[in-house]
Amino acid sequence: MQSNPLRIGTRGSQLALAQAHETRDRLMAAHSLPEDAFEIVVIKTSGDRIQDRPLSEVGGKGLFTKEIEEALLDGRIDIAVHSSKDMPTVLPDGLALTAFLPREDVRDAFLSPKAGTLTDLPQGAVVGSGSLRRQAMIKRLRPDIEVVMYRGNLQTRMRKLAEGEVDATLLAAAGLRRLGLGGEITSLLETQDFLPAVGQGAICIESREGDTATLEKLAAIHDETTQIRLDAERAFLAVLDGSCRTPIGGLATIEGDTLQFRGIVLKPDGSEAHEAAGGGPLADAVRIGQSVGEDLKARMGPGFLAEA
């Protein structure tokens, strides 16, 4: 191993490691570097340790990033690779999201041995999901379905499905494909009916502000289109103070030189939902996301998010 390899911090799940390896491989190709120019550093997070409760009860999204960001701040790692949907909208002082890899499929995947689609499930079927957004949107579309809390890494959730603990589950299509498990997908939920989580399908890289040498390396693998879309989505989330405690979906798409954005906020039981949309030039991505967020806030009225 080289004396000063670039240290890449990541969670230890198979999906997190796949994302870290993809980042390393892209950096190797972009800079003609050998594998030993990099070191993958696995860091266990609070979110990985707590498996028996919904994240909304124990601290939200930051549980998947806190320990990794601490390692970044104190110099134990040089960059951190994350799933963008796990990232809080406010980062610790001194850190920034400095690169995004090209975005994968943003859709949620339906997996079931008993039905081809969510709408085909029998009355009273049991669906497992640890995501408040997915839980609320399932209940909105199928109020008769029983939705149960379903934590664990991707492989654990697929095993529980195979063992018959639930009749179906929803997972991110991007994660399944990154692990070579796209063949397990029964069907895909189209975004017009089932908006994804903000940032779903996008890998982001966090680093220290002012670390010029690292920023120069990352610039070679950065995908600007993904960043523009995520700028709008994260701005939307920030306006709504979005966390794992609130069912929120949002998606930015680009058509030519125009960005379109749709957002939704729901009550956890799916009984009430508010949607809004907006669009404009790519340079206005942050403003567009903020505007849709403000629009939704006005439609919901006081108390909706608190009740949610």
Side-chain angles (χ1 to χ4, degrees):
M1 183 173 284
Q2 292 192 357
S3 56
N4 292 301
L6 184 80
R7 296 159 300 176
I8 302 172
T10 177
R11 295 167 59 199
S13 71
Q14 288 186 40
L15 178 57
L17 288 170
Q19 294 180 161
H21 288 150
E22 180 179 342
T23 301
R24 180 199 64 190
D25 293 349
R26 286 177 179 270
L27 286 166
M28 286 170 57
H31 298 286
S32 301
L33 291 168
E35 188 174 313
D36 66 2
F38 304 88
E39 179 185 357
I40 305 291
V41 181
V42 174
I43 299 168
K44 193 158 191 175
T45 69
S46 302
D48 297 313
R49 287 192 291 268
I50 301 169
Q51 295 292 328
D52 59 339
R53 286 163 287 169
L55 292 180
S56 57
E57 294 180 3
V58 288
K61 291 185 178 184
L63 292 173
F64 285 129
T65 59
K66 180 176 179 289
E67 288 85 355
I68 297 175
E69 289 175 331
E70 288 171 351
L72 195 52
L73 286 167
D74 66 22
R76 283 178 284 144
I77 59 174
D78 301 302
I79 64 172
V81 178
H82 304 282
S83 295
S84 295
K85 68 177 183 178
D86 289 340
M87 296 304 293
T89 53
V90 178
L91 303 181
D93 290 342
L95 301 182
L97 299 185
T98 47
F100 293 90
L101 301 189
R103 197 171 194 176
E104 241 278 16
D105 193 331
V106 302
R107 291 174 291 180
D108 288 297
F110 175 79
L111 284 74
S112 175
K114 298 185 176 180
T117 68
L118 181 64
T119 53
D120 292 336
L121 280 171
Q123 188 91 2
V126 178
V127 178
S129 175
S131 158
L132 282 187
R133 172 190 60 87
R134 289 178 181 140
Q135 291 174 4
M137 295 189 80
I138 291 167
K139 291 174 183 174
R140 182 190 186 205
L141 294 172
R142 287 288 306 274
D144 63 291
I145 285 178
E146 180 185 355
V147 184
V148 297
M149 199 273 283
Y150 203 56
R151 289 290 311 285
N153 62 32
L154 185 147
Q155 286 80 6
T156 299
R157 285 178 277 174
M158 290 182 66
R159 175 180 55 76
K160 290 179 179 179
L161 175 65
E163 292 174 352
E165 284 193 26
V166 295
D167 298 314
T169 189
L170 303 186
L171 298 169
L176 289 162
R177 289 182 172 141
R178 287 190 177 112
L179 287 172
L181 297 172
E184 301 294 327
I185 297 171
T186 306
S187 61
L188 292 163
L189 290 151
E190 297 302 330
T191 58
Q192 61 263 31
D193 302 315
F194 213 94
L195 275 175
V198 162
Q200 186 156 302
I203 296 170
C204 65
I205 302 168
E206 188 178 21
S207 62
R208 291 182 291 272
E209 292 178 335
D211 184 353
T212 306
T214 298
L215 293 175
E216 287 176 355
K217 284 189 176 75
L218 294 176
I221 64 169
H222 173 60
D223 186 75
E224 186 177 4
T225 298
T226 300
Q227 179 179 355
I228 292 169
R229 295 173 67 185
L230 268 290
D231 282 348
E233 292 177 22
R234 287 175 59 78
F236 163 76
L237 198 62
V239 168
L240 295 170
D241 192 27
S243 70
C244 287
R245 300 176 183 85
T246 312
I248 295 175
L251 180 64
T253 56
I254 292 176
E255 300 169 9
D257 58 359
T258 300
L259 181 138
Q260 299 293 332
F261 183 85
R262 291 174 55 221
I264 187 170
V265 180
L266 309 96
K267 288 192 173 178
D269 64 0
S271 63
E272 185 178 347
H274 296 275
E275 297 183 66
L282 302 185
D284 292 342
V286 170
R287 180 196 59 77
I288 293 166
Q290 290 172 336
S291 176
V292 174
E294 295 292 353
D295 187 0
L296 275 183
K297 262 192 169 180
R299 294 187 191 197
M300 292 184 296
F304 183 91
L305 286 179
E307 292 171 14

